[in-house]
Amino acid sequence: MTRLTTSSQLNLLRKEILARGEPGRLYITICSGTGCRAYASETVRAAFAQEIEKQCLENKIELKGTGCHGFCEKGPLVVIYPEGILYVQVKVQDVSEIVTQTIHRKIVERLLFVDPLSGEKILHEEDVPFYRHQYRLVLGNNSRIDPKRIEDYIALDGYSALAKVLFEMSPEEVIEQVKYSNLRGRGGGGFPTGRKWEECRHAPGTIKYVMVNADEGDPGAYMDRSLLEGNPHSVLEGLTIGAYAIGAHEGYIYVRQEYPLAVENVNIALDQARKLGLLGQNILGSGFDFDVKVHRGAGAFVSGESSALMTALEGKVGEPRPKYIHTIVSGLWNRPSNLNNVETWANIPLIINRGAAWFASIGTKGSTGTKIFSLVGKVTNTGLVEVPMGTSLKDIIYKIGGGILNGKKFKAVQTGGPSGGCIPERLIDSPVDFDELTRLGSMMGSGGMIVMDEDTCMVDTARYFLDFLAEESCGKCTPCREGIDQMLAILIDITEGKGELGDLGLLEEIAEVTQDASLCALGQTAANPVLSTIQYFRDEYKAHIDEKRCPAGVCKALLSFYIEPEKCRACLRCLKNCPSEAIVGGKNQIHVIDQEKCIRCGICFDVCPDKFRAVLKLSGVPVPPSLPVEGRTIIRKRTAS
Amino acid sequence: MSPKTTKIMQIANQPDDGEIDRILYTYGGDKSSLIQILLDAQSTFHWLPQNVLRRISEQLGIALSEVYRTASFYKALSLVPRGRHLIRICMGTACHVRGSPRILGKIEQFLNIRAGETTRDMRFSLERVNCLGCCALGPVIVVDGEAHGNLTPAEVEGILNRYE
């Protein structure tokens, strides 16, 4: 790779790359994101390489590992280009058939996606309902490029926005464009990005910093990881444009060490960009200098908060500090610092290339553009979903997500991570944007969307989030440290059947103080999961407190398991699997659970064969007395021989 | 510290100064790289014994108390040795609603340790993590980097028995 010293050299390189790809060439692409890797996609990829070599097709078929496509439910995903044929759940044993059929331009019918509603097989990736209802502006290129090759990104107009900014726009004009686009921060707060940049540009000081927040800590959210893994150059290009607009020459990417592939791909991207002169001294011969360092986070949720993140970049313990002076003015090393989330940065090249007016025309008035959500939990199609702001929850969960897993009943959707809230079924028609979600007592957060069904207990959900936050609170300020602990103690009591009258009032009181008096956003929003579940699911709390009953059958202390004697066929399955030897019985002896020994793990309930369904989960009702020993023998009718 | 942990710490390897210095060298003695150095030491030695913390403190000129504070603050850093196999159980929200607490209970009961601990025979360490980002597989555990998804408590024993 030779260093590019002018913008026209970049254009020339793009033309060269495009000329290399013959029209109509066959590509087999396989998703190499973390989700598909967990389904052994790398083994499948190796098998493809071997098979292509074995059939001597290296000149006819090109194999490519791409970023995350988003449809993680059906991984490993394989797409054949130029036709765009999608094969789902591809295994090593399917590889040879795919290669043979592909070269003959035929289709492997059995690996096509089957629409669960119509039962029809769907040939092209874009026609699968999961993709058809999305608008994949930011995520779309993930499936088209190999994240380890800068050429792939450049071929798709990559770095053209940077060239445009460096040679045709002043920093002020860039900020004007971003302001006009009304882009708001995708990391949680939803602060207008352009205004943030402007404040940082005007903040006193000559040395300034720009940073990427890739400390994606919300459990159940992984869109930032997928972008950074799958299309690192889009983030890097956005960051460099931001640096130019703000007047920064040093940048940082703060990424969790739990994302090893993202760290790897970002480092490769940085290297390649430096070699091409798209990063470093005198970028594209424009005179603008900018370089980036990668910092790995060591596993602390609170370090994703802006002041904490900057403290961590200085090598100290990543705890927040009071923000009387905003980090925009005094952040890293007490200098003006602009921190934006991965997805925010990745939107910037789009705004520059296609115009702020175009961007502002997508979405709603207050929330423009698209948003990536990670749609997870009890939903049929788990994966990453990108839709215009303002799309209804219902469309996301049903049209794209395919509804609730195993035909169960929808109960709530949790958005905004541990700082967010649960939105009940009756509000499912609500449009999703920053302001609407806040109005409903939740928040956008980074875009986690966890679907819950009738088997999810809302008190347990609140307890889960408080448990998470209690562990992650740094303990520096009292309202957060003690407030969360006390709310958690009350919630544990309620889930263990020790809830008392007045607990709900007390929870609301502590919640208010924690919200008002905590130092950083972790504490200020910690009460949201409690308040939103009390607001929308008060009945469920009441059932736990007044009747000692868990309606969803989740809270262990309020459950009992019982084997219905009429249904038990003495198959020994539960007896053999019971970890606490609580099941009494034997061959031809109806099984009985010893309630004293039972640890309520529910394994008997899981393993009891569907044809018997003898194990019952009881809550809020006494366990029926067990059958006397003499009556337990099953007399089986012998079939006439 | 429990007697069990103390025993494990005695038998675990103590890296020598040369090995620690090799890591320090790559960062050129830069104080702001403390967290990065600790992460590298963690992945090389699988834990952070006392002498590693002391050496880092001396070489970087950072008070030992500060190094210890950092090492004990972050979840990825461990002050006790880890076993031959590391089980990471995802406790993220998606896995939680799909039943991860029951998987955790089963593993804890089967191995007779709590999350964050190591078995007496140094065979397994059990660690809770907040999201592995493969939510489609939930509930999921990752043993030595190998993912096992859509688990039920009844399958746990069979899977763990594959790791010697």
Side-chain angles (χ1 to χ4, degrees):
Chain A
M1 272 188 269
T2 45
R3 209 181 146 81
L4 308 169
T5 50
T6 61
S7 141
S8 48
Q9 284 182 359
L10 174 68
N11 289 333
L12 215 62
L13 175 66
R14 184 172 299 118
K15 274 183 198 148
E16 251 177 63
I17 297 167
L18 289 171
R20 261 181 255 157
E22 314 147 37
R25 188 175 167 80
L26 282 172
Y27 282 94
I28 296 181
T29 68
I30 176 159
C31 175
S32 293
T34 299
C36 280
R37 279 177 185 233
Y39 284 118
S41 69
E42 289 306 279
T43 326
V44 178
R45 186 177 163 180
F48 267 116
Q50 225 175 8
E51 186 63 31
I52 291 171
E53 201 188 316
K54 198 174 121 195
Q55 299 196 24
C56 303
L57 295 170
E58 290 101 324
N59 296 325
K60 298 213 171 74
I61 299 179
E62 195 165 321
L63 180 64
K64 188 181 267 196
T66 67
C68 172
H69 297 211
F71 198 11
C72 309
E73 185 71 38
K74 294 288 174 192
L77 303 169
V78 169
V79 183
I80 314 288
Y81 290 103
E83 290 90 349
I85 301 160
L86 170 72
Y87 294 131
V88 296
Q89 295 173 321
V90 175
K91 299 192 177 54
V92 172
Q93 54 267 34
D94 305 325
V95 164
S96 148
E97 190 181 347
I98 292 177
V99 174
T100 314
Q101 296 297 344
T102 299
I103 201 71
H104 293 108
R105 307 272 164 158
K106 284 185 184 152
I107 290 148
V108 187
E109 292 268 344
R110 62 182 180 88
L111 294 171
L112 295 176
F113 175 77
V114 181
D115 185 353
L117 289 179
S118 63
E120 275 174 43
K121 285 183 174 161
I122 297 175
L123 188 60
H124 296 111
E125 187 176 32
E126 74 248 27
D127 295 331
V128 171
F130 177 80
Y131 292 113
R132 204 173 59 217
H133 300 287
Q134 294 192 45
Y135 189 30
R136 296 162 73 88
L137 284 178
V138 180
L139 207 53
N141 281 348
N142 260 27
S143 56
R144 272 172 245 155
I145 60 176
D146 177 347
K148 292 182 167 64
R149 286 165 46 92
I150 193 170
E151 294 88 343
D152 285 19
Y153 181 68
I154 291 176
L156 295 170
D157 273 345
Y159 287 104
S160 59
L162 177 65
K164 181 174 173 188
V165 161
L166 290 178
F167 296 100
E168 296 168 29
M169 292 168 84
S170 69
E172 288 80 7
E173 280 170 342
V174 178
I175 290 176
E176 266 322 298
Q177 283 292 303
V178 178
K179 270 171 78 178
Y180 186 65
S181 76
N182 205 8
L183 172 69
R184 292 171 68 176
R186 274 19 180 179
F191 192 81
T193 307
R195 259 176 57 200
K196 200 173 184 176
W197 288 15
E198 190 171 47
E199 278 176 42
C200 195
R201 177 163 181 84
H202 293 146
T206 45
I207 300 178
K208 291 171 187 179
Y209 302 105
V210 286
M211 295 158 201
V212 180
N213 190 346
D215 189 41
E216 188 174 47
D218 287 4
Y222 60 103
M223 60 295 277
D224 290 348
R225 192 203 61 199
S226 285
L227 265 180
L228 214 50
E229 273 177 15
N231 195 353
H233 286 288
S234 67
V235 180
L236 199 55
E237 186 180 2
L239 182 70
T240 314
I241 293 171
Y244 171 75
I246 287 161
H249 301 289
E250 281 176 66
Y252 287 89
I253 299 177
Y254 185 103
V255 51
R256 312 168 72 196
Q257 61 87 34
E258 289 95 326
Y259 290 173
L261 187 62
V263 176
E264 185 188 324
N265 287 0
V266 163
N267 276 317
I268 293 173
L270 289 176
D271 262 3
Q272 294 175 337
R274 274 189 208 112
K275 278 187 189 135
L276 278 181
L278 294 164
L279 203 62
Q281 302 270 312
N282 196 12
I283 295 174
L284 288 177
S286 66
F288 176 64
D289 306 333
F290 178 65
D291 213 334
V292 180
K293 277 188 191 147
V294 175
H295 180 103
R296 287 164 299 154
F301 179 68
V302 76
S303 293
E305 193 272 345
S306 63
S307 67
L309 185 145
M310 293 176 199
T311 316
L313 285 179
E314 293 173 7
K316 297 180 208 143
V317 167
E319 284 178 356
R321 62 160 175 78
K323 287 196 278 191
Y324 307 119
I325 305 173
H326 209 270
T327 49
I328 284 292
V329 176
S330 176
L332 182 64
W333 312 114
N334 298 321
R335 288 172 182 143
S337 307
N338 183 89
L339 176 73
N340 282 121
N341 155 278
V342 170
E343 192 183 337
T344 315
W345 289 118
N347 269 290
I348 299 295
L350 286 170
I351 293 172
I352 299 294
N353 271 337
R354 298 168 81 164
W358 163 82
F359 189 86
S361 72
I362 305 162
T364 59
K365 196 164 173 286
S367 310
T368 54
T370 60
K371 177 78 194 81
I372 309 173
F373 294 98
S374 80
L375 187 62
V376 299
K378 302 281 189 72
V379 64
T380 308
N381 299 331
T382 296
L384 293 182
V385 170
E386 184 178 350
V387 288
M389 293 274 192
T391 305
S392 76
L393 282 168
K394 194 178 189 171
D395 282 352
I396 297 175
I397 295 167
Y398 285 90
K399 277 192 183 163
I400 300 172
I404 310 304
L405 201 60
N406 302 327
K408 294 268 185 173
K409 198 174 163 310
F410 174 77
K411 187 188 236 172
V413 57
Q414 204 277 347
T415 70
S419 311
C422 297
I423 299 165
E425 193 190 8
R426 66 186 162 84
L427 296 173
I428 197 175
D429 286 315
S430 311
V432 181
D433 70 17
F434 286 105
D435 309 311
E436 185 67 16
L437 288 179
T438 310
R439 206 177 60 74
L440 298 176
S442 183
M443 63 188 273
M444 177 76 78
S446 62
M449 204 173 259
I450 293 107
V451 178
M452 299 171 176
D453 68 359
E454 55 192 314
D455 294 336
T456 314
C457 169
M458 300 317 286
V459 185
D460 175 69
T461 302
R463 185 203 57 76
Y464 163 80
F465 281 115
L466 270 283
D467 191 39
F468 174 88
L469 291 164
E471 207 171 290
E472 297 294 343
S473 167
C474 73
K476 189 169 174 174
C477 76
T478 318
C480 172
R481 184 184 66 233
E482 295 302 322
I484 292 175
D485 255 7
Q486 294 306 322
M487 286 190 282
L488 177 61
I490 296 171
L491 287 170
I492 291 176
D493 275 354
I494 296 176
T495 56
E496 290 182 349
K498 291 179 271 184
E500 288 171 19
L501 208 72
D503 272 357
L504 294 186
L506 191 55
L507 273 175
E508 283 164 332
E509 204 181 319
I510 303 172
E512 199 181 321
V513 178
T514 314
Q515 271 178 338
D516 288 346
S518 292
L519 181 65
C520 80
L522 189 149
Q524 286 157 10
T525 57
N528 284 358
V530 182
L531 292 175
S532 74
T533 48
I534 294 181
Q535 183 187 351
Y536 296 124
F537 301 95
R538 192 171 273 268
D539 288 354
E540 234 174 281
Y541 277 88
K542 288 269 186 203
H544 283 75
I545 297 171
D546 300 343
E547 305 163 43
K548 310 295 173 205
R549 178 171 68 89
C550 175
V554 170
C555 299
K556 259 191 185 182
L558 305 179
L559 288 186
S560 322
F561 290 89
Y562 171 71
I563 301 172
E564 282 187 280
E566 310 80 58
K567 290 187 180 168
C568 176
R569 300 308 294 154
C571 71
L572 302 170
R573 282 285 288 277
C574 61
L575 192 144
K576 280 182 184 156
N577 277 291
C578 176
S580 59
E581 296 177 356
I583 298 177
V584 190
K587 206 176 168 192
N588 294 331
Q589 289 289 306
I590 290 172
H591 305 341
V592 173
I593 297 175
D594 181 343
Q595 297 295 331
E596 296 287 307
K597 282 190 184 168
C598 175
I599 56 167
R600 300 177 175 89
C601 66
I603 288 183
C604 52
F605 184 82
D606 292 340
V607 298
C608 183
D610 278 346
K611 55 185 174 183
F612 305 146
R613 296 235 173 157
V615 182
L616 283 187
K617 204 191 262 186
L618 304 172
S619 186
V621 288
V623 181
S626 46
L627 214 58
V629 180
E630 330 59 274
R632 292 184 192 171
T633 309
I634 300 177
I635 298 151
R636 294 183 201 270
K637 282 183 202 151
R638 283 166 197 265
T639 43
S641 51
Chain B
M1 204 170 278
S2 72
K4 197 159 91 184
T5 314
T6 321
K7 179 85 201 319
I8 290 171
M9 286 173 77
Q10 282 160 5
I11 50 174
N13 288 334
Q14 306 277 336
D16 65 46
D17 285 353
E19 288 174 275
I20 308 162
D21 289 351
R22 263 198 291 284
I23 295 168
L24 282 161
Y25 180 74
T26 51
Y27 291 92
D30 176 15
K31 279 187 196 187
S32 68
S33 299
L34 175 64
I35 298 167
Q36 309 305 303
I37 291 167
L38 290 172
L39 276 172
D40 283 1
Q42 171 75 40
S43 72
T44 313
F45 312 128
H46 304 293
W47 71 300
L48 298 171
Q50 216 185 73
N51 71 317
V52 170
L53 299 187
R54 281 189 191 283
R55 185 76 186 171
I56 291 173
S57 151
E58 283 162 21
Q59 295 294 314
L60 289 183
I62 298 174
L64 182 60
S65 59
E66 190 59 34
V67 177
Y68 180 79
R69 179 167 175 241
T70 310
S72 58
F73 181 81
Y74 289 105
K75 264 202 232 63
L77 305 173
S78 170
L79 294 167
V80 288
R82 288 196 173 141
R84 289 195 297 284
H85 305 291
L86 178 62
I87 308 167
R88 299 164 85 202
I89 174 160
C90 181
M91 301 304 281
T93 322
C95 284
H96 180 85
V97 301
R98 289 198 188 188
S100 64
R102 294 179 55 218
I103 308 291
L104 177 66
K106 175 68 203 178
I107 298 175
E108 288 185 332
Q109 182 253 336
F110 178 57
L111 297 179
N112 195 21
I113 52 170
R114 311 282 303 194
E117 293 182 350
T118 299
T119 53
R120 201 182 281 263
D121 59 3
M122 297 290 285
R123 188 168 153 209
F124 288 111
S125 289
L126 177 60
E127 204 179 80
R128 293 163 50 128
V129 291
N130 282 329
C131 187
L132 292 163
C134 37
C135 305
L137 279 85
V140 62
I141 63 170
V142 174
V143 187
D144 298 343
E146 192 184 354
H148 303 274
N150 296 317
L151 279 181
T152 64
E155 291 164 347
V156 165
E157 286 189 26
I159 288 170
L160 294 186
N161 280 334
R162 286 186 229 156
Y163 297 88
E164 259 323 300

